[in-house]
Amino acid sequence: MDEAPVSAHHDLAERVVAAMRQHGSPGYPRTFEVWYAHLSGEMPAVSMALNAILAGNDGKVTAADIDNLYERFINTERFSRQAERTSLQVLGEIDAMMALVDKALGSSELYHGRLTAMSEDVPPTADRQKLREWVEALVMSTREEVTRKAQLEAELRNSSNEIRNLREALESTRAEALTDPLTGLANRRHFEEMLQKSIDQATLRREPFALVMGDIDFFKHFNDAHGHLTGDQVLRLVARTMKDKFKDKAIISRFGGEEFAIILPEADLIAGKFGAETVRQALLTRELVKRSTNENLGRITISLGVAMYRRGDTAGSLVDRADQAMMRAKRDGRNRTVTEEAVELASRVA
């Protein structure tokens, strides 16, 4: 009975591997996941994005394409499901706690009813036997209530601890969902959230901020010549350099593949260019060494574009200007920083 599903799964796996080879995709796990999601038909959004890449890139799907698809769709979907499961657990624990509270209230009402009934039936002091029995019943009822309260308190404490643990797990899941696992930087989803928040704040407070877009020069060369593990090392080096230079002053994101985005609060175009240049020059002082062979691979360079928020900007318009400036830096010879102002000046001269 189970042979057909197993066979179908095996055939799909073979199709995935064949597609990876045909389209020049790198052979690592997340590549398999992306192609599997596409060929299985389970994630139509992945298929649409992948087909667009195939149509515009002569049928090739690069490591950068795979990383971008994985972060945009598969990784986000996984963490969303995990967050949903944790949220349901939290709701279940809250329901259990409310049941315990109801139980405690019911127990208190029962105890109060007993005391009321007993107070209305106090025996005369002259009847010592009945008075003794009355006192013993009162003590027994109080003892039972104390025991019940102690048990309920323990159960409520345990439930409260469980809710706290689940809340921490939910917060951790959200943090993971907004973090690029390779570099530890904010991911594309987090960047988009923070960029919109920055635009809203700048509009309200009339304060400037700058956006820097950066792309590692000749990154494909590193991947092709030295392998994807070395490519990952390059990405980590660039991310670490950015974090070292900006500390907590900026929102640094891996935008996708070998591209990075940096939001600089309260920075104008000059400050934005200065910050971008700080990163670029810092990278020039660092040499990359291949861990497996200790081979010196030279220095990493990066091309950067800078734009400043203008009143009326959307996230798309601001990213587009910073991206155009970055592409100008690439065309002008790479390893440089270009501002949107320089791009506009060049277009007027042309």
Side-chain angles (χ1 to χ4, degrees):
M1 293 293 290
D2 294 330
E3 288 182 4
V6 170
S7 176
H9 180 80
H10 180 72
D11 291 344
L12 180 56
E14 288 185 344
R15 287 172 54 209
V16 167
V17 173
M20 289 166 59
R21 290 174 180 163
Q22 178 186 351
H23 298 287
S25 298
Y28 52 79
R30 62 171 54 184
T31 307
F32 189 92
E33 288 191 59
V34 169
W35 277 103
Y36 190 95
H38 166 54
L39 293 175
S40 67
E42 293 178 357
M43 298 182 70
V46 172
S47 296
M48 288 180 62
L50 190 53
N51 286 331
I53 292 170
L54 289 169
N57 199 26
D58 296 327
K60 297 297 181 185
V61 182
T62 66
D65 295 327
I66 290 295
D67 287 341
N68 188 26
L69 290 169
Y70 184 86
E71 292 303 324
R72 283 175 62 195
F73 300 106
I74 296 176
N75 211 29
T76 300
E77 178 69 17
R78 177 181 294 123
F79 283 121
S80 295
R81 288 197 300 267
Q82 186 177 340
E84 184 179 359
R85 286 195 299 269
T86 306
S87 297
L88 290 173
Q89 287 178 298
V90 170
L91 291 174
E93 284 296 324
I94 290 174
D95 287 342
M97 180 175 279
M98 293 306 298
L100 288 173
V101 171
D102 289 340
K103 184 178 177 181
L105 290 173
S107 175
S108 295
E109 289 177 4
L110 179 62
Y111 179 62
H112 179 72
R114 286 179 179 174
L115 288 184
T116 301
M118 291 180 73
S119 66
E120 293 174 354
D121 193 27
V122 180
T125 55
D127 193 336
R128 299 177 64 84
Q129 180 61 31
K130 284 189 177 181
L131 186 59
R132 185 183 300 111
E133 291 173 357
W134 183 86
V135 171
E136 287 175 354
L138 178 60
V139 170
M140 182 64 69
S141 181
T142 302
R143 229 177 244 165
E144 290 173 356
E145 181 61 16
V146 170
T147 301
R148 277 194 297 270
K149 284 289 176 60
Q151 290 174 343
L152 285 168
E153 284 178 8
E155 291 173 0
L156 284 168
R157 194 177 300 111
N158 289 337
S159 188
S160 177
N161 289 338
E162 185 63 23
I163 288 176
R164 182 165 54 251
N165 292 336
L166 288 169
R167 184 181 61 205
E168 291 173 358
L170 193 60
E171 290 171 355
S172 176
T173 297
R174 173 169 169 76
E176 287 181 48
L178 299 176
T179 303
D180 173 59
L182 178 63
T183 62
L185 299 177
N187 62 15
R188 175 75 170 266
R189 177 182 175 189
H190 193 190
F191 164 75
E192 290 173 350
E193 288 182 7
M194 296 309 296
L195 180 59
Q196 188 57 56
K197 182 177 179 181
S198 298
I199 289 173
D200 293 342
Q201 290 179 345
T203 303
L204 181 65
R205 300 174 184 174
R206 298 180 180 275
E207 294 176 347
F209 76 90
L211 174 64
V212 179
M213 300 293 292
D215 189 87
I216 301 172
D217 296 328
F218 304 110
F219 181 74
K220 188 175 185 300
H221 165 74
F222 277 95
N223 270 339
D224 293 344
H226 305 290
H228 295 291
L229 291 179
T230 301
D232 289 349
Q233 192 179 340
V234 170
L235 292 168
R236 291 192 192 98
L237 174 64
V238 173
R240 187 165 60 250
T241 302
M242 289 180 171
K243 285 191 284 190
D244 287 347
K245 290 303 169 185
F246 287 114
K247 303 298 181 187
D248 298 327
K249 298 178 182 178
I251 301 159
I252 310 169
S253 312
R254 184 181 175 195
F255 192 74
E258 67 271 28
E259 196 170 356
F260 296 82
I262 307 168
I263 300 171
L264 295 172
E266 300 178 15
D268 58 14
L269 203 60
I270 295 173
K273 183 178 181 181
F274 178 80
E277 276 291 286
T278 299
V279 168
R280 188 184 68 81
Q281 292 175 21
L283 276 172
L284 291 175
T285 68
R286 301 187 177 188
E287 292 186 340
L288 184 70
V289 177
K290 192 172 183 179
R291 291 174 180 170
S292 58
T293 62
N294 285 327
E295 177 187 359
N296 191 318
L297 304 180
R299 293 181 173 85
I300 305 300
T301 65
I302 188 169
S303 299
L304 301 127
V306 187
M308 186 179 75
Y309 168 75
R310 300 173 182 174
R311 193 164 184 82
D313 259 332
T314 63
S317 64
L318 182 55
V319 169
D320 183 63
R321 291 204 309 279
D323 196 57
Q324 290 298 320
M326 182 190 72
M327 295 306 297
R328 182 71 191 213
K330 292 281 189 186
R331 290 195 297 271
D332 288 350
R334 296 182 171 83
N335 187 28
R336 64 194 65 214
T337 299
V338 172
T339 66
E340 60 176 338
E341 194 175 67
V343 173
E344 291 167 354
L345 180 62
S347 65
R348 285 199 294 270
V349 171

